[in-house]
Amino acid sequence: MIWIGDYQYRRRSAIKHRTPPKKKARELAKYLREERPDYDYLKSVFRHLRAELEVDVPKANKKLPYVPTEDEIKRYYEAVWKAKNFQDMMIIKTLLYTGVRVSELINIKLTDIDFQRCQIRVNQGKCKKDRIVPFPTAFKELLAMHADRVAKKGAVYLFESSWKKKYSDRGIRKILKKYSDQAGMVQSISPHKLRHFLLTWLKKQGIDDALIQPYSGHASRKSLEVYSKLAITDAQEEYERVIHEFPI
């Protein structure tokens, strides 16, 4: 106990008398300046420095994402339906049916849609990865009507504003929040909550993670080898089998 107490005292004393970070940075800069470092070089140097000093990187506790209930999604979509804004409805349905991220949604071009296979190609999604996402065959007609309507206006992207520009991330979030307010939602519905709802719902239908992953865009080191052997057609068959039970 005496040794432990002495150790803790010395440790606190050392921390108390540390060189101020700004001063220490200036000292280190003298050694590093001649290397003409850029961001990547400095990042690598300090990563190795942490290893040499055996400094652990604290991990933030990950909170479980909030997933809306089926009743909440139905109440939310009721507000969307009552508004009778066709483009808003298509934005929200596309998010719900495909599970794409908002950054991916705003970059979908008309040429990325394969109506024959009921698939949308997501180019340069998270981590710069391309992937294919399915949509229900029952949604094909509405999506085709929307695509044809905007194509006649000279649109390039699936969703464009009245200024003939693709929507911004903020613009899509603003649309979704508007209906959250109208529906009196306690938890505002965001694009990512719609994504969580779809992926959680598919899981509840008994679809294996290995079949959800190919189009969800999630990376899994443990399952990478298994996932790589699965074709999108296998995943889409399971998706199509259960999607007709989707609450919207």
Side-chain angles (χ1 to χ4, degrees):
M1 292 297 293
I2 295 175
W3 182 87
I4 293 173
D6 182 57
Y7 168 77
Q8 290 176 338
Y9 170 79
R10 285 188 283 109
R11 186 171 183 273
R12 284 196 297 268
S13 180
I15 291 172
K16 186 178 180 180
H17 295 92
R18 279 176 175 168
T19 304
K22 190 172 183 180
K23 183 178 180 181
K24 182 57 68 176
R26 286 173 179 164
E27 292 175 3
L28 291 172
K30 293 177 183 178
Y31 297 100
L32 291 168
R33 189 168 282 112
E34 64 183 28
E35 302 290 346
R36 297 174 184 254
D38 55 14
Y39 176 80
D40 289 335
Y41 180 79
L42 283 176
K43 185 178 179 181
S44 181
V45 167
F46 281 98
R47 185 174 68 249
H48 288 295
L49 188 59
R50 282 199 307 270
E52 287 290 331
L53 297 173
E54 298 182 352
V55 176
D56 293 326
V57 179
K59 293 182 179 179
N61 291 326
K62 288 187 177 181
K63 292 183 179 179
L64 289 174
Y66 173 78
V67 181
T69 64
E70 286 196 23
D71 286 341
E72 287 175 322
I73 288 294
K74 287 176 181 177
R75 190 167 90 243
Y76 177 77
Y77 191 73
E78 184 68 21
V80 178
W81 175 255
K82 286 180 179 177
K84 303 299 181 186
N85 185 312
F86 185 68
Q87 173 135 302
D88 287 359
M89 180 182 73
M90 293 302 297
I91 287 171
I92 291 162
K93 278 200 165 189
T94 303
L95 286 168
L96 268 169
Y97 286 145
T98 64
V100 293
R101 301 174 177 90
V102 65
S103 58
E104 297 166 343
L105 177 84
I106 60 179
N107 286 304
I108 295 174
K109 295 182 178 180
L110 295 174
T111 52
D112 294 328
I113 307 171
D114 185 335
F115 288 103
Q116 185 175 354
R117 294 186 174 88
C118 292
Q119 295 174 350
I120 296 174
R121 180 177 182 81
V122 175
N123 297 300
Q124 297 288 289
K126 191 174 181 180
C127 300
K128 304 297 182 183
K129 292 180 180 178
D130 298 344
R131 70 181 191 283
I132 301 293
V133 296
F135 58 84
T137 53
F139 184 52
K140 178 167 68 172
E141 187 174 341
L142 270 180
L143 189 60
M145 286 172 58
H146 170 75
D148 185 61
R149 183 170 66 89
V150 298
K152 288 177 179 176
K153 295 179 180 179
V156 173
Y157 293 91
L158 179 61
F159 298 112
E160 294 188 0
S161 68
S162 53
W163 294 284
K164 293 186 178 181
K165 291 183 178 181
K166 68 176 183 178
Y167 275 97
S168 65
D169 182 304
R170 184 179 179 184
I172 297 295
R173 292 179 188 279
K174 189 175 180 181
I175 289 170
L176 267 64
K177 186 179 184 306
K178 173 179 66 177
Y179 294 114
S180 292
D181 294 340
Q182 290 178 13
M185 306 296 292
V186 176
Q187 286 269 1
S188 184
I189 298 297
S190 65
H192 217 62
K193 286 189 177 81
L194 296 183
R195 172 177 165 81
H196 282 312
F197 178 80
L198 171 67
L199 300 180
T200 303
W201 185 87
L202 289 172
K203 178 69 175 174
K204 287 180 179 178
Q205 307 313 303
I207 297 183
D208 191 88
D209 288 342
L211 288 168
I212 296 174
Q213 192 273 345
Y215 61 82
S216 74
H218 281 143
S220 174
R221 292 182 181 179
K222 291 182 180 178
S223 304
L224 197 58
E225 186 177 345
V226 176
Y227 292 149
S228 65
K229 297 176 182 177
L230 293 167
I232 185 63
T233 50
D234 297 327
Q236 192 162 352
E237 285 177 8
E238 285 296 290
Y239 171 91
E240 192 62 43
R241 180 179 64 81
V242 300
I243 200 67
H244 66 279
E245 299 288 345
F246 200 65
I248 300 303

